[in-house]
Amino acid sequence: MSAGDKMKTACVTGGSGYIASALIKMLLEKGYAVKTAVRNPALGPLTVLRADLEEEGSFDDAVAGCDYAFLVAAPVNLASGEDPEKELIEPAVRGTLNVMRSCVKAGTVKRVILFGAAPSMNINTSVPNCLALLSGDEVWLGVLKVIERTSGSVPLGHIDDLCRAELFVAEEPAAAGRYNSCGLSTTVVELARFLEHKYPEYDVKRNLQADDQLLEKPRVCLSSAKLVREGFEFKHNTLGEIYDNVVEYGKALGILPN
């Protein structure tokens, strides 16, 4: 950045989350000034602002003066939700509209972007899901199976690629509309075979047990063709690359034994 260039500022919602914390780290490394909003602020290396998706106008201060807003915060309770429409989808829509109204008020936001180790040490949804076959946690393994049944596959992506994709569509002038960022689509069975071979110290076969409803091969694959066509390149598109760091991260969080 030259002396005459103005430092770009980005707001990232849900700053204490797994994806958001990794995105914040990447933005800081790229030279951005970052503002983040969390429901319960805590002391740390970043200055954080209190904001709640359900509170109208609570993101006004967070997005004020920002060039970009990354909407990463979302209500997530897949393991125990009895009514996903009311508990997940409706609050997410209300929260998204809330933040976007704050962006309009700010008048500085050029673009809103909606849906390796991370700085966050919270146990968040995506990590225990990915590690369920190793940990043997029946609840999270059940969530993994639900994802496969409802979507036709288990879509996976490396956290680094996801953050790079978020930044790519923020900075790419021609970016518009909806994008998928999916390194690969697999199944619970394929994932179990891979993990059983790579991590023999875990009893993956016992943890999986028999389930006739599981797919052998993906029925549906999420396409990232639009993202790639516009110039984005995935760095991690195999199970080995995607799981390279997540197991150590799971050990650090206490999900897996050391």
Side-chain angles (χ1 to χ4, degrees), residues 10 20 32-33 61 73 82 84 111-112 154 156 162 176-177 195 211 217 231 254:
Y32 278 75
D61 290 341
E82 296 180 0
R111 180 165 285 167
V112 175
V154 178
L156 294 175
L162 178 57
L195 294 173
D211 194 326
K217 294 184 178 180

Side-chain angles (χ1 to χ4, degrees), residues 22 49 82 182:
L49 302 170
E82 296 180 0
C182 178

Side-chain angles (χ1 to χ4, degrees), residues 230-252:
E230 295 188 13
F232 181 79
E233 294 183 8
F234 284 91
K235 289 185 176 179
H236 313 275
N237 53 15
T238 67
L239 285 174
E241 292 171 306
I242 290 173
Y243 271 83
D244 191 32
N245 301 114
V246 74
V247 170
E248 291 304 314
Y249 185 57
K251 290 178 180 178

Side-chain angles (χ1 to χ4, degrees), residues 155-179:
L156 294 175
H158 195 286
I159 186 71
D160 179 63
D161 278 340
L162 178 57
C163 292
R164 289 176 54 249
E166 295 252 14
L167 191 54
F168 175 82
V169 297
E171 295 181 334
E172 175 58 44
R178 192 170 194 171
Y179 294 83

Side-chain angles (χ1 to χ4, degrees), residues 56-91:
E56 182 71 28
S58 66
F59 285 87
D60 287 359
D61 290 341
V63 300
C66 289
D67 297 282
Y68 304 118
F70 297 87
L71 275 56
V72 184
V76 177
N77 188 22
L78 294 175
S80 59
E82 296 180 0
D83 189 340
E85 182 76 25
K86 283 191 173 297
E87 296 176 18
L88 299 176
I89 298 174
E90 291 180 6

Side-chain angles (χ1 to χ4, degrees), residues 3-248:
D5 290 340
K6 176 183 175 291
M7 177 182 287
K8 290 182 179 178
T9 303
C11 171
V12 180
T13 68
S16 59
Y18 176 59
I19 294 172
S21 63
L23 179 57
I24 289 169
K25 180 174 180 287
M26 180 175 290
L27 287 166
L28 291 171
E29 291 171 347
K30 296 286 186 181
Y32 278 75
V34 181
K35 298 168 74 175
T36 187
V38 297
R39 184 176 296 170
N40 298 306
L43 293 177
L46 291 175
T47 300
V48 296
L49 302 170
R50 184 194 175 279
D52 192 318
L53 288 172
E54 293 288 332
E55 291 185 23
E56 182 71 28
S58 66
F59 285 87
D60 287 359
D61 290 341
V63 300
C66 289
D67 297 282
Y68 304 118
F70 297 87
L71 275 56
V72 184
V76 177
N77 188 22
L78 294 175
S80 59
E82 296 180 0
D83 189 340
E85 182 76 25
K86 283 191 173 297
E87 296 176 18
L88 299 176
I89 298 174
E90 291 180 6
V93 171
R94 288 196 302 270
T96 298
L97 292 174
N98 182 16
V99 181
M100 293 187 75
R101 281 190 287 267
S102 293
C103 291
V104 172
K105 289 181 190 175
T108 60
V109 179
K110 300 172 185 174
R111 180 165 285 167
V112 175
I113 301 87
L114 179 63
F115 311 161
S120 173
M121 292 305 289
N122 297 331
I123 298 178
N124 299 286
T125 305
S126 56
V127 178
N129 275 353
C130 290
L131 297 175
L133 284 163
L134 299 178
S135 69
D137 189 298
E138 293 183 5
V139 173
W140 291 117
L141 183 54
V143 172
L144 204 61
K145 293 177 181 179
V146 168
I147 291 172
E148 179 181 282
R149 283 197 296 270
T150 56
S151 66
S153 67
V154 178
L156 294 175
H158 195 286
I159 186 71
D160 179 63
D161 278 340
L162 178 57
C163 292
R164 289 176 54 249
E166 295 252 14
L167 191 54
F168 175 82
V169 297
E171 295 181 334
E172 175 58 44
R178 192 170 194 171
Y179 294 83
N180 285 330
S181 177
C182 178
L184 63 87
S185 294
T186 186
T187 66
V188 174
V189 171
E190 285 183 343
L191 191 55
R193 290 187 184 127
F194 163 77
L195 294 173
E196 184 181 18
H197 175 74
K198 186 172 178 66
Y199 304 101
E201 64 269 32
Y202 298 98
D203 198 345
V204 174
K205 188 174 292 185
R206 186 202 65 192
N207 293 341
L208 180 60
Q209 299 177 342
D211 194 326
D212 295 334
Q213 296 181 331
L214 294 177
L215 300 174
E216 279 289 330
K217 294 184 178 180
R219 188 173 66 243
V220 175
C221 294
L222 289 183
S223 172
S224 300
K226 180 182 176 183
L227 188 64
V228 173
R229 189 167 58 245
E230 295 188 13
F232 181 79
E233 294 183 8
F234 284 91
K235 289 185 176 179
H236 313 275
N237 53 15
T238 67
L239 285 174
E241 292 171 306
I242 290 173
Y243 271 83
D244 191 32
N245 301 114
V246 74
V247 170
E248 291 304 314

